[in-house]
Amino acid sequence: MDDIPHRLPEKTVKFMDKLREFMRARHMAYRTEKTYCNWIADFIRFHNRTHPSELEQGSIDSYLSHLAVRRCYSINTQKTALNALVFLYEKFLGVPVGELAFTPSTRPRILPVVFSHREALKVLSELSGIYRIIGSLMYGSGLRVMEAVRLRLQDVDFEQQCIMVREAKGMKSRRTLLPKSLIPGLQAQRTFVLSLHAKDLLEGFGEVYLPFALAKKYPNAPKEPGWQYLFPANMRALDPRSQVVRRHHIGEQQVQRQVKKAIVAAAIHKKASCHTFRHCFATNLLRSGADIRNIQELLGHKDLSTTQIYTHVVGIHERGLQSPLDGNLGESINFTGVSGEVKETTMIYGTNQAA
């Protein structure tokens, strides 16, 4: 249950505990809480553990410049650190940040790694059981891995052939595509979940976690079938937030490990992960002629510029360009060999051949 917030002390005295309490009062995503707290803690350590309210003007600039110059972090990483510090000062401490003058990172944003359709299917074929279904949802519906494992029974609409993604990044909800080929597998998974839920109820359990205090508003909802996780954990566990024994969803890291093994087994030598399936979803929609704004909506991107990066991935391969080495320029080279060593090279110049 790595996405469950740790309980805070009844009386928060430490600075970081007060910060976390402030974030939770604003209903910030737990992932955002962890990310911001990590950056803020690093910022405090960088300034010799001085309280942020006691630091001089320019402390943010010196830290962000350090990330760019000394640690060689990328633009996006430096931007995340900046967002955390702006939140710390302007929201939590109530201190205006003012105009900043830090050294921006020069490490550019890299293009996302994508599978070809054949490679994606090859990786999926190396997965089994629910891991194959989850992988197929990431590829066929564009889900993030955490969005996939958090799906509940009511989020899959077989009639309208769509998936409702709740508690997504930025605490936004969206609808995305439900691949027709996944319907039989998802229906079988739903039947399994309902059977497992009935068993939990007979044993005196059967409650599931509900966000935003919905359990107080709807006391019976935690035991209703629609709220049960589509991919439940094998074992029930103690929820540290409420001290209630519940069945959570399977862990994000479990899926990541299985996908990593599948990529190795498929002999695909790319820096790929679960998120690569989501990149493939976007690029293949672009190849099929889908509108960029529709793709933005399906992916849940706040800014269109985030979605537009996929146009660069597709553009490299599909603008009708051809490498000069493959062109008809009067000569060609035939490479034959094994184990990385060229055993024989044949060059053809018009009608003359040399071996």
Side-chain angles (χ1 to χ4, degrees):
M1 298 193 289
D2 52 358
D3 64 324
I4 295 179
H6 299 292
R7 291 190 76 182
L8 296 175
E10 293 295 332
K11 294 183 178 180
T12 52
V13 178
K14 296 182 179 179
F15 175 79
M16 294 303 295
D17 287 340
K18 290 182 178 180
L19 177 61
R20 289 181 182 274
E21 186 178 54
F22 181 77
M23 291 179 175
R24 293 181 191 183
R26 298 173 69 91
H27 302 292
M28 294 176 64
Y30 184 50
R31 283 201 158 195
T32 303
E33 175 188 319
K34 290 193 293 184
T35 300
Y36 278 18
C37 286
N38 287 339
W39 282 117
I40 291 168
D42 189 66
F43 171 73
I44 294 172
R45 286 192 295 267
F46 176 77
H47 289 294
N48 299 317
R49 301 185 183 278
T50 304
H51 196 284
S53 62
E54 300 174 359
L55 291 172
E56 299 178 355
Q57 188 175 6
S59 59
I60 295 179
D61 291 331
S62 61
Y63 174 69
L64 295 176
S65 298
H66 170 76
L67 295 183
V69 177
R70 298 296 181 185
R71 299 192 192 176
C72 300
Y73 283 160
S74 67
I75 295 173
N76 283 354
T77 303
Q78 188 186 45
K79 183 180 177 181
T80 302
L82 170 62
N83 292 340
L85 297 179
V86 169
F87 177 86
L88 168 67
Y89 278 95
E90 296 196 345
K91 301 296 184 182
F92 182 60
L93 297 176
V95 178
V97 170
E99 188 174 349
L100 299 175
F102 58 89
T103 303
S105 174
T106 56
R107 184 178 167 187
R109 183 178 184 179
I110 61 175
L111 293 177
V113 175
V114 297
F115 295 132
S116 67
H117 178 64
R118 184 189 63 82
E119 288 175 331
L121 295 183
K122 194 173 181 182
V123 174
L124 292 176
S125 69
E126 296 292 340
L127 296 169
S128 60
I130 60 172
Y131 298 110
R132 180 178 292 185
I133 297 177
I134 293 173
S136 299
L137 283 170
M138 291 188 288
Y139 178 40
S141 304
L143 301 186
R144 300 177 178 92
V145 60
M146 183 52 75
E147 293 171 347
V149 299
R150 281 179 175 173
L151 285 175
R152 301 176 190 255
L153 293 187
Q154 64 183 356
D155 296 335
V156 182
D157 191 333
F158 294 106
E159 293 296 325
Q160 299 189 51
Q161 293 186 4
C162 67
I163 294 176
M164 177 62 73
V165 184
R166 309 174 197 273
E167 301 178 64
K169 189 174 181 180
M171 301 307 292
K172 295 178 293 184
S173 298
R174 71 181 191 277
R175 292 208 315 176
T176 187
L177 308 176
L178 171 60
K180 294 180 181 179
S181 58
L182 276 182
I183 290 178
L186 289 173
Q187 288 176 333
Q189 179 64 17
R190 181 180 63 177
T191 301
F192 165 75
V193 172
L194 292 174
S195 174
L196 181 65
H197 178 54
K199 179 176 179 294
D200 285 343
L201 289 173
L202 285 175
E203 295 176 359
F205 300 98
E207 283 194 8
V208 71
Y209 166 73
L210 265 61
F212 312 123
L214 286 176
K216 291 184 178 180
K217 187 175 182 180
Y218 307 107
N220 296 325
K223 291 187 177 182
E224 291 178 359
W227 283 103
Q228 304 306 307
Y229 287 114
L230 183 60
F231 304 107
N234 291 330
M235 304 291 292
R236 294 186 292 261
L238 183 68
D239 189 331
R241 292 164 294 198
S242 60
Q243 301 300 304
V244 175
V245 176
R246 293 181 171 135
R247 189 180 295 277
H248 203 53
H249 56 70
I250 66 169
E252 175 187 11
Q253 292 182 347
Q254 290 177 255
V255 180
Q256 291 171 333
R257 284 192 292 265
Q258 293 298 321
V259 169
K260 200 68 178 178
K261 290 179 182 178
I263 293 171
V264 173
I268 295 175
H269 308 297
K270 293 181 177 180
K271 190 179 179 182
S273 64
C274 288
H275 212 67
T276 307
F277 285 123
R278 180 171 159 89
H279 295 324
C280 296
F281 172 79
T283 53
N284 283 336
L285 284 178
L286 275 175
R287 289 189 180 103
S288 65
D291 181 75
I292 188 70
R293 290 197 176 275
N294 288 333
I295 298 174
Q296 176 192 6
E297 184 178 343
L298 291 173
L299 291 174
H301 287 161
K302 181 180 179 181
D303 194 335
L304 183 62
S305 63
T306 306
T307 315
Q308 285 176 331
I309 194 170
Y310 296 111
T311 63
H312 299 290
V313 179
V314 173
I316 289 175
H317 304 290
E318 297 185 12
R319 290 180 181 172
L321 301 180
Q322 187 178 42
S323 169
L325 190 63
D326 298 328
N328 185 17
L329 301 177
E331 62 182 70
S332 62
I333 301 177
N334 179 30
F335 295 100
T336 58
V338 294
S339 302
E341 181 181 357
V342 178
K343 298 296 185 181
E344 178 183 358
T345 303
T346 302
M347 299 187 67
I348 303 174
Y349 301 94
T351 57
N352 297 324
Q353 179 171 323

